[in-house]
Amino acid sequence: MKKLRFAPLVAAALLLVSACSSGAATESPAASAAPPASVPASGGASPGAAALSGTITIWEAYGASGSAEKAAFDKIVANVKTANPGLTVNVLDVPFNQLFNKFETEAASGSGPDLYIAPNDSLPKEARASLLKDLTSLTDTLKAAPYNISDTAIKADTVDGKLYAIPESMKAVALFYRTDQLATAPATTDDWKTNASKLGWVYGANGGGAYYAWGIYGAFGGKILDDSGKCAAATGVPDALKWLQDMKAAGMKFYQNDNDAKADLISGKIAGFIDGPWQSGDLKKALPGKIAVAPGPKGPGGDFQPMAAPDGYYINASSANADLAIQFAEQMVSPTNEQIFVDEAGHIPANGTLTVKDPIDNGFATAIKTGFARPTAKELDNYWGNFGSALVAVIDKTADPTAEVTKACAAMDKANNK
């Protein structure tokens, strides 16, 4: 089994350079049937290449995170359509909490979109269920100009040695804070306790909170999986959950979803909370000159270590238009088009040559330095629900953190046959 200890990311590999290719893998026959379109920096078809023609359907969930990401996405789609007058693109906005289940249900029956864009939350499960197109033959193309996709992003979208997505951006959570209420961002878990009444945390149900909590485990020296895939959360993770419990007692506000936390930050009810760059565009518009980003709390066990993972374009394995969908996705990640996501929606590009000028975006780039590359180990599938329930029990019912972690680990290992 592959080693499951998650190495901290190196910022240069993510943001400044285009890394070398990892080993070759089996080429997908369908992907090799038609070579990728040549895409110049403008994002349109190159002068010598045929323009794209036909109809594709793409799903996205940007409506769930506010207007900035959706507006940027729609602008990029419009650019590609303008460059390819014979191309029809049907876009469906799917609520994020329904996106993966909806895709899996429909793709398993041979229907669904030609492609969708999302984080790699369900990538391992969908790849192993043969729902996604094997894109391994595109690896060298994506790592070369004009795409310059980082090795970190490629690895995070690789399952069992095969590439299953075209990476678009990298994401991790960090602290959004109001500079008119906090002159300096709280840097440590003790600083957070001092400012508890001014801060918020998303702990949500159905496993969502287990994503936001991931970074605090490392701050207390904890981790979820050992090298064999067995749950290893007995050390550090209970201390992290106890800290969250203590923070609630000290006055920190807890939220079922991040949009409620964002609304309270904008209204001034809280001065900061942990969230991702998908909120940057809206917060910069709502709080011009009053919003900044810093890493989450450093604790006695080390840095805040959020999951760092790519958003990417996933091609439906049952699509009759797979080659067209691949070429469309390549044009979506062309430098000029991706720069729109960077400048207008706060995305941290998977393309290591693009410029990230905005200080808020650079705040996330800093947070990603201590992040863990999101693993594609199949055992992680049984983390979300079990540890999401543990969080809810600890926060809502003041349950004992050690007992809840023990219960979550046992359920996780049982499900994983460990």
Side-chain angles (χ1 to χ4, degrees):
M1 172 166 286
K2 293 184 179 179
K3 188 175 181 182
L4 300 177
R5 193 184 305 273
F6 316 140
L9 300 180
V10 178
L14 173 61
L15 299 171
L16 301 178
V17 300
S18 176
C20 298
S21 172
S22 55
T26 304
E27 180 172 305
S28 166
S32 62
S38 175
V39 182
S42 66
S46 64
L52 304 184
S53 179
T55 300
I56 58 171
T57 297
I58 181 170
W59 290 358
E60 47 75 26
Y62 291 130
S65 56
S67 61
E69 278 192 304
K70 184 65 166 71
F73 176 82
D74 288 345
K75 181 184 289 189
I76 297 168
V77 171
N79 285 351
V80 175
K81 290 170 66 177
T82 297
N84 301 277
L87 180 66
T88 298
V89 182
N90 298 316
V91 178
L92 178 65
D93 185 81
V94 180
F96 184 74
N97 62 359
Q98 300 175 22
L99 179 63
F100 300 114
N101 285 339
K102 181 176 175 63
F103 173 78
E104 289 159 17
T105 299
E106 296 198 20
S109 66
S111 58
D114 296 297
L115 74 166
Y116 76 99
I117 182 171
N120 70 346
D121 297 27
S122 294
L123 170 68
K125 178 175 65 172
E126 293 175 358
R128 292 184 177 113
S130 300
L131 300 180
L132 301 176
K133 192 80 168 175
D134 176 2
L135 304 176
T136 308
S137 64
L138 299 180
T139 300
D140 290 341
T141 297
L142 293 173
K143 293 167 80 71
Y147 310 107
N148 299 300
I149 303 300
S150 73
D151 191 51
T152 299
I154 293 290
K155 287 181 178 178
D157 277 339
T158 297
V159 179
D160 301 333
K162 296 180 180 180
L163 180 68
Y164 287 99
I166 296 175
E168 179 270 321
S169 62
M170 296 296 292
K171 289 183 176 177
V173 296
L175 172 67
F176 279 108
Y177 69 99
R178 292 184 57 140
T179 56
D180 58 339
Q181 295 188 30
L182 290 170
T184 303
T188 68
T189 50
D190 287 341
D191 292 340
W192 273 63
K193 275 194 176 180
T194 299
N195 292 282
S197 63
K198 300 177 181 179
L199 298 169
W201 196 282
V202 179
Y203 75 110
N206 301 318
Y211 171 73
Y212 291 95
W214 185 276
I216 200 65
Y217 304 154
F220 285 87
K223 63 180 183 179
I224 295 299
L225 294 173
D226 67 14
D227 294 346
S228 72
K230 188 175 176 63
C231 185
T235 300
V237 177
D239 296 329
L241 299 195
K242 180 63 165 62
W243 179 81
L244 289 173
Q245 197 176 64
D246 290 346
M247 287 292 291
K248 182 177 183 180
M252 187 164 75
K253 296 176 177 63
F254 282 81
Y255 297 88
Q256 284 288 320
N257 64 79
D258 56 350
N259 281 333
D260 288 346
K262 178 173 69 173
D264 277 1
L265 183 72
I266 292 171
S267 69
K269 292 181 181 178
I270 58 174
F273 76 108
I274 295 286
D275 212 334
W278 50 89
Q279 301 287 11
S280 295
D282 289 345
L283 288 174
K284 284 186 283 189
K285 289 180 181 178
L287 298 168
K290 298 179 181 179
I291 195 75
V293 169
K298 183 174 183 177
D303 291 316
F304 186 77
Q305 297 173 350
M307 277 191 174
D311 272 21
Y313 292 92
Y314 306 89
I315 312 300
N316 188 341
S318 62
S319 169
N321 304 307
D323 294 327
L324 180 61
I326 289 169
Q327 294 169 351
F328 167 79
E330 288 175 327
Q331 293 198 16
M332 291 290 285
V333 298
S334 68
T336 297
N337 283 334
E338 183 58 29
Q339 194 70 53
I340 293 171
F341 257 148
V342 174
D343 294 340
E344 300 182 17
H347 282 205
I348 309 303
N351 182 334
T353 66
L354 297 187
T355 302
V356 181
K357 298 178 181 179
D358 186 273
I360 289 177
D361 300 344
N362 272 317
F364 282 105
T366 299
I368 288 172
K369 292 179 184 179
T370 60
F372 282 126
R374 183 171 182 149
T376 57
K378 62 181 180 180
E379 288 85 0
L380 200 69
D381 291 348
N382 292 305
Y383 159 74
W384 305 103
N386 288 310
F387 278 83
S389 296
L391 275 167
V392 171
V394 167
I395 302 304
D396 285 350
K397 303 175 182 178
T398 63
D400 177 67
T402 299
E404 290 302 318
V405 169
T406 299
K407 182 167 66 174
C409 262
M412 185 175 169
D413 284 344
K414 182 178 180 180
N416 288 328
N417 296 315
K418 296 293 182 181

